[in-house]
């Protein structure tokens, strides 16, 4: 049986992404709600804002992954860097999980034959 480098690449991508998600979640579990929303410096983003931005980015980039541009017209990127009334740790974590579901569901649909297509699409952006 021949080595399938495309399948190996996809397996490693899935493994790596699960690891990054786990590391981020382990780090967030170490901070209180107050610490999650604290801005240490006027030029810094709180953990909550970074979480909000990453969730928005995953939603935008991984929705219709192979058929549309990564930046969706309904995304309001600037609002991802503003805390709004009602933003909570639980709500941000729900958005985080929804974003990761999109990532993993999109990657699960890929096979080695799709890698050239992905590179071609992403290389044009």
């Amino acid at each position: 049986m021949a080595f399938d480098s495309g399948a190996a690449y996809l397996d490693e991508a899935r493994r790596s992404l699960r690891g990054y998600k786990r590391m981020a979640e382990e780090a967030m579990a170490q901070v209180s709600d107050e610490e999650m929303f604290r801005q240490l410096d006027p030029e810094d983003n709180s953990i909550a804002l970074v979480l909000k931005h990453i969730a928005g980015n995953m939603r935008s980039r991984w929705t219709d992954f192979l058929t549309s541009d990564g930046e969706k017209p309904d995304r309001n990127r600037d609002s991802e860097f503003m805390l709004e009334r009602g933003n909570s740790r639980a709500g941000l974590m729900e958005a985080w999980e929804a974003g990761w579901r999109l990532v993993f569901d999109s990657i699960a649909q890929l096979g080695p034959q799709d890698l050239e297509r992905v590179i071609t699409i992403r290389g044009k952006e």
Side-chain angles (χ1 to χ4, degrees):
M1 184 170 167
F3 177 73
D4 187 341
S5 60
Y9 177 83
L10 288 169
D11 287 344
E12 178 58 22
R14 290 180 194 104
R15 188 197 66 73
S16 294
L17 288 167
R18 281 191 301 271
Y20 294 137
K21 179 180 186 287
R22 184 183 61 252
M23 282 191 297
E25 290 170 350
E26 288 172 356
M28 288 185 286
Q30 296 179 45
V31 298
S32 67
D33 289 356
E34 179 185 327
E35 292 167 326
M36 180 171 265
F37 285 86
R38 184 179 300 145
Q39 188 176 354
L40 298 178
D41 182 270
E43 298 296 316
D44 293 339
N45 291 312
S46 65
I47 295 168
L49 286 178
V50 172
L51 180 63
K52 188 176 179 180
H53 171 60
I54 291 172
N57 193 58
M58 286 189 291
R59 185 193 63 77
S60 184
R61 301 290 175 179
W62 291 91
T63 298
D64 302 325
F65 173 64
L66 291 176
T67 59
S68 68
D69 185 10
E71 193 67 32
K72 304 303 183 283
D74 66 338
R75 182 179 185 194
N76 184 352
R77 188 179 186 278
D78 290 343
S79 73
E80 295 168 8
F81 294 97
M82 297 182 296
L83 286 177
E84 300 166 316
R85 182 175 227 121
N87 282 152
S88 67
R89 182 185 196 125
L92 293 174
M93 292 306 295
E94 285 177 26
W96 167 265
E97 287 298 331
W100 279 108
R101 265 191 309 280
L102 282 167
V103 171
F104 291 126
D105 288 351
S106 295
I107 292 174
Q109 296 175 29
L110 296 176
Q113 71 282 359
D114 296 310
L115 292 176
E116 187 174 330
R117 180 176 172 207
V118 171
I119 292 167
T120 301
I121 291 168
R122 298 298 164 216
K124 292 181 180 180
E125 291 186 350

